[in-house]
Amino acid sequence: MKVLAFGDNLITPEMLENGLTELKNHGFEVEIRDWSHDSVESLQNDNILVEQQGADAVEITDPSLLKDIDKFDVIITQFTPIGKKLIDKAKSLKYIGVLRGGIENVDKEYAESKGIKVMNTAGRNARAVAEFTVGLILSETRNIARTSAAMHKDIWLKNFPNKDNIPEVGGKTMGIIGFGHIGRLVAQFMKGMDANVIFYDPYVDSVEGFKKVNKLEDLVKQADIISIHMRATEETHHIINKHMFDLMGEGTYFINSARSALVDESALIDALKNHKIAGAAVDTFDEEPLPKDSPFLTLDNITLTSHLAGSTADAFKNTPKLFVSRFLQSIEE
């Protein structure tokens, strides 16, 4: 079979060359092309557009990237959009492999209507996101980021938004919304810090060592720290909204290292501005990069990071190898 793999700024053609070696060892003919942008920021902007508007929102216009596309049986992509037009041109296509957990950049329904199997790489950066989430929790609750920023301005900061009630994780209730691979890793890390972990996930019955809560409202009422780890779908859009923030206690911390669409940003800003909750830490936003006039930038009780949670060298480097392992197992079954 002939394989076409698209590299980009984050999973580079060099990483693909190394990561897809096993495909070549199994007799696949592999060609690698480069969909890199001028900057990672530019790539992310295209990715956000695709996630919000679908796989056809960004069209590949460079003819060299689509040369002989009708000859390939397999396309492997991380961010390169695979929409209807490309699928129609790829007349021999049997598989689309996505080097990430989500498949927002692929028109899965249309591909499957053509008999093409779409495969993702679930959990490929789960550890990266889970570790980052713990970092966000500690950074916000213990004022690590804001202290560092102040010291770079020669300010010895001691006056924090939570100065009268700076918590420790041990003994607190950690509420995790979405208990897939990432959520469970976060749970393990937090349990190791002696937090009491509860979770909400309508698609998970039970997990040994952790308590399931059947209603989201009950979780947000009980938890001292809340972290969300769901996919962005119509069902989960703004699952955390004004109603949910109103149910949280004044000492609650909210963490989002998943998708911005899961949270009503205006409701979160209102909750922080009026001190309905103690603080928040957020890595993804409806508009990226964050505009200079964003209300988030006026708040002193939030830790902001620039969509970094899943971005580690280890995650990007190992993803092609992980995909190949699962792909070969799938086609041999």
Side-chain angles (χ1 to χ4, degrees):
M1 280 197 277
K2 294 187 67 174
V3 178
L4 174 60
F6 289 107
D8 54 52
N9 303 65
L10 299 177
I11 296 184
T12 65
E14 292 75 20
M15 291 179 183
L16 287 174
E17 189 70 40
N18 293 327
L20 302 180
T21 300
E22 195 61 23
L23 280 182
K24 295 179 182 179
N25 293 341
H26 276 71
F28 288 81
E29 183 181 337
V30 179
E31 183 172 338
I32 297 170
R33 297 176 186 173
D34 191 359
W35 196 63
S36 291
H37 289 47
D38 293 337
S39 66
V40 172
E41 181 180 299
S42 178
L43 174 67
Q44 293 286 17
N45 287 342
D46 270 354
N47 181 48
I48 291 168
L49 188 61
V50 167
E51 290 185 352
Q52 292 175 345
Q53 299 182 23
D56 285 301
V58 175
E59 189 174 349
I60 298 176
T61 55
D62 184 348
S64 67
L65 293 175
L66 302 180
K67 182 182 177 182
D68 296 330
I69 195 79
D70 59 319
K71 303 294 194 298
F72 292 93
D73 305 282
V74 183
I75 289 178
I76 297 174
T77 174
Q78 179 181 222
F79 291 122
T80 308
I82 312 297
K84 289 184 176 68
K85 292 182 180 179
L86 192 152
I87 291 170
D88 284 339
K89 292 177 182 178
K91 299 185 184 302
S92 300
L93 198 57
K94 300 177 182 66
Y95 299 94
I96 299 173
V98 187
L99 301 177
R100 52 199 291 215
I103 54 172
E104 294 89 349
N105 59 315
V106 175
D107 192 327
K108 181 175 183 286
E109 184 177 343
Y110 189 69
E112 291 182 342
S113 76
K114 299 285 187 179
I116 301 166
K117 184 174 182 180
V118 180
M119 302 175 63
N120 67 344
T121 315
R124 63 109 177 190
N125 61 357
R127 177 165 291 275
V129 176
E131 290 180 359
F132 193 88
T133 300
V134 175
L136 287 177
I137 292 168
L138 295 176
S139 184
E140 175 57 29
T141 60
R142 301 298 301 276
N143 302 294
I144 296 170
R146 57 180 60 95
T147 303
S148 177
M151 291 188 73
H152 279 87
K153 297 177 182 178
D154 198 27
I155 299 172
W156 190 261
L157 191 62
K158 290 289 187 179
N159 186 28
F160 307 111
N162 63 347
K163 61 181 172 43
D164 296 325
N165 189 24
I166 296 175
E168 295 178 359
V169 168
K172 298 298 185 294
T173 297
M174 176 77 205
I176 298 177
I177 304 169
F179 217 58
H181 197 170
I182 296 172
R184 295 185 199 197
L185 278 175
V186 173
Q188 292 171 16
F189 295 155
M190 299 304 288
K191 188 175 182 179
M193 298 174 71
D194 294 327
N196 303 311
V197 179
I198 60 176
F199 74 91
Y200 167 81
D201 192 320
Y203 301 101
V204 176
D205 291 330
S206 62
V207 177
E208 186 176 353
F210 303 105
K211 179 184 176 183
K212 177 178 179 178
V213 177
N214 291 319
K215 291 184 178 180
L216 180 56
E217 287 85 352
D218 291 337
L219 181 140
V220 300
K221 287 178 184 177
Q222 297 175 35
D224 301 297
I225 304 167
I226 298 168
S227 188
I228 188 164
H229 301 283
M230 287 181 154
R231 293 206 180 285
T233 65
E234 290 185 10
E235 182 184 9
T236 61
H237 183 75
H238 286 186
I239 192 170
I240 301 299
N241 50 34
K242 182 180 184 301
H243 173 61
M244 293 299 170
F245 285 118
D246 286 345
L247 294 176
M248 298 178 192
E250 292 182 357
T252 303
Y253 293 87
F254 177 75
I255 315 297
N256 184 14
S257 60
R259 301 292 186 186
S260 67
L262 300 168
V263 182
D264 183 339
E265 284 191 347
S266 62
L268 171 58
I269 290 166
D270 179 74
L272 292 167
K273 184 177 180 180
N274 293 295
H275 300 284
K276 297 177 182 177
I277 61 175
V282 179
D283 184 53
T284 61
F285 306 90
D286 289 345
E287 186 176 352
E288 297 182 3
L290 203 60
K292 292 181 180 179
D293 61 351
S294 170
F296 281 121
L297 299 175
T298 68
L299 302 169
D300 63 358
N301 54 349
I302 186 170
T303 296
L304 305 170
T305 54
S306 53
H307 207 145
L308 301 174
S311 301
T312 65
D314 291 327
F316 292 130
K317 179 178 64 178
N318 293 328
T319 298
K321 296 177 183 178
L322 179 60
F323 171 78
V324 168
S325 174
R326 294 178 180 175
F327 174 71
L328 291 175
Q329 182 179 3
S330 174
I331 65 175
E332 289 171 359
E333 288 178 349

